[in-house]
Amino acid sequence: MNEYDTLKLEKILEQDYQSVPCPENADLVLINTCSVREKPEQKLYSLLGELSDLKKAKPDLKIGVCGCVAQQEGERIIKRSKAVDIVFGTHNLSLVPSLLKQRELGAPPQVAVNYREDWEDLPLGFSETDKVSVFVSISRGCNKNCTYCIVPTTRGKEVSRSLDEIEREVKIAVFRGAKEVTLLGQTVNSYGKDFTPRQSFASLLERLSKIDGLERIRFTSPHPQEVKEDFIDLVTNNPKVCKHIHMPLQSGSDRILKLMNRNYRKKRYLEIIHGLKEKVPDISITTDIIVGFPGETESDYQETLEVMREVEFDNSYSFMFSPRPGTKAAEMKEEISQKEKLSRLQNLQSLQFEITKKRLDSWVGKRGEVLVEGVSPYQNDDKDTVYYGRLSQNITVNFLGSEVKTGSILDVDITGASKFTLKGAVCI
Ligand code: SF4
């Protein structure tokens, strides 16, 4: 989501600015912050410390802070760092040019962190023109209130973007060479619930899949509670929808899921996964997991490992619980020591490495369709050109070929597997 917002900011500012590789060469530095992980404020202020030294040497340098920390902290950022010129929140991207203008005209540091009820009017498309795969936001905010999560505060209530606008943005990206789109939303599959009359995620997928030249559609992340009866057919029958689902599990214990206010249980989660696997045996499933949530016992933790073994996730993003100020979970009593949490995380990640290895090894000797993204920075010992791209299952393949066109979809014979990627050669 932040990557998407950053691309939008580049687009908004493209008349006056262009990207440069490092802050030393910049006239404007925007720090797009995320507060999902630990210590985002410390990281922000330490970066601002470095930038204020740069500003002393370059007094015309403008510095802005945006994203979730900006949304939460607002005015406090200006008070703590004299180097900052503008602070703007997650609903105020379009205001950047005017905030900068006011600052240039001598106004004091500017802050814009108001929430909006509607979808902010942002320019369509991106300033980059040569991307094979693009992100497109389809909704903003979240109505779920998981007890550990700060997103409903920093991104506000869920607001869906108009179907026409999404379609236009995807068409522009395709016109400029994109072949794949990843639809973004905190709970992407609840798209359209806030419209009157209601619209469905299914109708959005159906409409986008009719766009000529768009070869692949991905989305992240579906919420298990929002998975409707048609979901499995939807993702398995539409040939443009990729064979990869990233569906957060968070915990394999019903007791912990309840404490997290995740409104599904292990049985339902597994039902969805088995339904998907039954229809598409080579589907790739990835997930998010939190270990050491307040009150998580050894047996709760073991249940999470059991689900991992049963599902055989292709990969998982796992984190130790860390309290986010302002969330319910931050007030829950923590009974698990940091050492124990770390040990649980390490064990879980070792298990995931084993499973990932097994899943990747199972590809060796098979053939897969790869969407080519470019020349790989990793070349082999014989100095052949190595290209890279991804399977529909979202697995990266580094492969040998000659005169391979970026954006093409090729059959690649898989010849080997490394820790996270596959190796192959174009099938001739
Ligand atoms: S569904 Fe996702 S974004 Fe929404 S509150 Fe829960 S974890 Fe946060």
Side-chain angles (χ1 to χ4, degrees):
M1 201 65 88
N2 272 17
E3 205 173 315
Y4 176 82
D5 287 351
T6 300
L7 292 172
K8 280 290 163 200
L9 286 167
E10 272 183 31
K11 178 77 183 161
I12 292 167
L13 292 165
E14 73 181 352
Q15 299 289 329
D16 301 313
Y17 296 91
Q18 65 183 57
S19 290
V20 288
C22 59
E24 287 72 19
N25 299 345
D27 297 315
L28 167 68
V29 175
L30 294 179
I31 307 171
N32 196 354
T33 57
C34 171
S35 56
V36 167
R37 302 287 302 279
E38 218 171 349
K39 303 193 178 97
E41 285 156 49
Q42 281 102 311
K43 285 182 198 157
L44 170 66
Y45 288 112
S46 98
L47 184 54
L48 284 175
E50 289 167 31
L51 288 172
S52 50
D53 291 342
L54 183 63
K55 195 163 177 163
K56 279 177 200 144
K58 279 181 77 174
D60 289 339
L61 175 69
K62 296 276 176 295
I63 298 175
V65 181
C66 55
C68 291
V69 178
Q71 184 67 47
Q72 272 180 293
E73 292 293 297
E75 196 82 33
R76 283 197 288 271
I77 296 176
I78 301 281
K79 287 198 176 125
R80 272 186 71 173
S81 173
K82 299 270 173 289
V84 175
D85 294 283
I86 59 169
V87 173
F88 55 100
T90 53
H91 294 195
N92 295 281
L93 272 59
S94 57
L95 298 183
V96 178
S98 69
L99 298 174
L100 285 169
K101 189 89 208 149
Q102 288 176 55
R103 192 65 182 129
E104 273 158 23
L105 292 172
Q110 301 289 303
V111 179
V113 288
N114 288 340
Y115 289 101
R116 300 171 65 109
E117 297 284 309
D118 58 345
W119 186 271
E120 193 180 6
D121 195 13
L122 298 173
L124 292 173
F126 312 98
S127 49
E128 291 178 61
T129 53
D130 56 349
K131 286 199 113 192
V132 168
S133 179
V134 293
F135 291 131
V136 169
S137 240
I138 66 162
S139 62
R140 181 198 73 202
C142 183
N143 294 346
K144 288 282 182 285
N145 293 314
C146 302
T147 54
Y148 54 82
C149 182
I150 196 67
V151 167
T153 309
T154 57
R155 298 240 168 209
K157 289 268 166 228
E158 190 169 286
V159 178
S160 300
R161 188 181 186 188
S162 98
L163 215 150
D164 288 344
E165 202 178 300
I166 297 167
E167 187 183 47
R168 275 205 297 277
E169 184 150 278
V170 176
K171 280 184 172 169
I172 290 172
V174 169
F175 178 73
R176 290 179 174 177
K179 302 283 182 214
E180 176 182 280
V181 63
T182 302
L183 308 174
L184 301 175
Q186 303 297 342
T187 57
V188 75
N189 51 337
S190 63
Y191 173 81
K193 272 172 94 171
D194 51 328
F195 287 145
T196 317
R198 277 167 79 128
Q199 283 180 24
S200 69
F201 183 55
S203 60
L204 171 69
L205 285 186
E206 211 181 307
R207 188 138 148 208
L208 296 183
S209 64
K210 294 199 176 108
I211 297 176
D212 281 341
L214 179 68
E215 305 288 347
R216 290 181 172 182
I217 303 173
R218 303 184 184 278
F219 52 84
T220 190
S221 300
H223 191 294
Q225 189 196 343
E226 296 294 333
V227 170
K228 304 284 175 268
E229 289 315 308
D230 62 353
F231 183 80
I232 292 173
D233 287 338
L234 185 72
V235 297
T236 55
N237 291 347
N238 186 330
K240 289 196 178 177
V241 174
C242 287
K243 297 175 179 183
H244 168 230
I245 299 290
H246 179 86
M247 192 161 73
L249 167 69
Q250 307 301 11
S251 171
S253 152
D254 285 350
R255 204 178 65 79
I256 297 299
L257 287 172
K258 200 167 172 203
L259 285 172
M260 289 176 165
N261 196 30
R262 300 281 296 177
N263 295 321
Y264 55 88
R265 297 295 171 254
K266 174 171 78 176
K267 184 167 172 275
R268 174 65 183 140
Y269 186 92
L270 290 172
E271 244 171 42
I272 300 166
I273 299 294
H274 290 310
L276 287 165
K277 286 194 170 198
E278 204 173 290
K279 286 264 179 91
V280 185
D282 62 347
I283 197 166
S284 152
I285 312 278
T286 55
T287 198
D288 299 325
I289 294 174
I290 297 172
V291 297
F293 190 80
E296 183 190 72
T297 61
E298 178 60 27
S299 116
D300 294 318
Y301 168 66
Q302 288 300 331
E303 283 193 71
T304 301
L305 299 185
E306 272 165 33
V307 175
M308 287 179 72
R309 287 190 199 97
E310 181 169 341
V311 174
E312 296 201 316
F313 294 109
D314 288 72
N315 219 330
S316 58
Y317 300 91
S318 48
F319 307 98
M320 282 191 293
F321 170 78
S322 73
R324 299 267 67 85
T327 60
K328 278 194 183 150
E331 289 154 28
M332 293 178 185
K333 199 164 157 249
E334 284 211 59
E335 285 130 9
I336 313 152
S337 68
Q338 201 64 9
K339 196 173 156 214
E340 178 57 28
K341 275 195 225 174
L342 184 61
S343 148
R344 287 182 191 178
L345 182 68
Q346 285 168 341
N347 286 339
L348 182 139
Q349 290 182 338
S350 308
L351 174 62
Q352 183 60 63
F353 279 137
E354 271 173 43
I355 299 171
T356 300
K357 184 167 183 338
K358 183 178 160 200
R359 298 281 301 163
L360 288 176
D361 284 348
S362 73
W363 275 95
V364 180
K366 292 184 182 157
R367 186 169 286 178
E369 276 191 347
V370 173
L371 171 60
V372 184
E373 292 181 43
V375 174
S376 168
Y378 309 106
Q379 299 304 306
N380 68 2
D381 296 340
D382 299 329
K383 307 273 183 284
D384 297 319
T385 307
V386 181
Y387 297 86
Y388 76 100
R390 273 172 302 134
L391 296 170
S392 173
Q393 286 81 353
N394 208 28
I395 300 168
T396 297
V397 184
N398 294 299
F399 62 95
L400 296 171
S402 68
E403 293 175 30
V404 168
K405 235 176 107 207
T406 297
S408 53
I409 295 184
L410 298 175
D411 282 338
V412 171
D413 288 326
I414 307 299
T415 53
S418 43
K419 217 168 167 187
F420 299 109
T421 58
L422 295 171
K423 293 176 201 159
V426 174
C427 155
I428 26 179

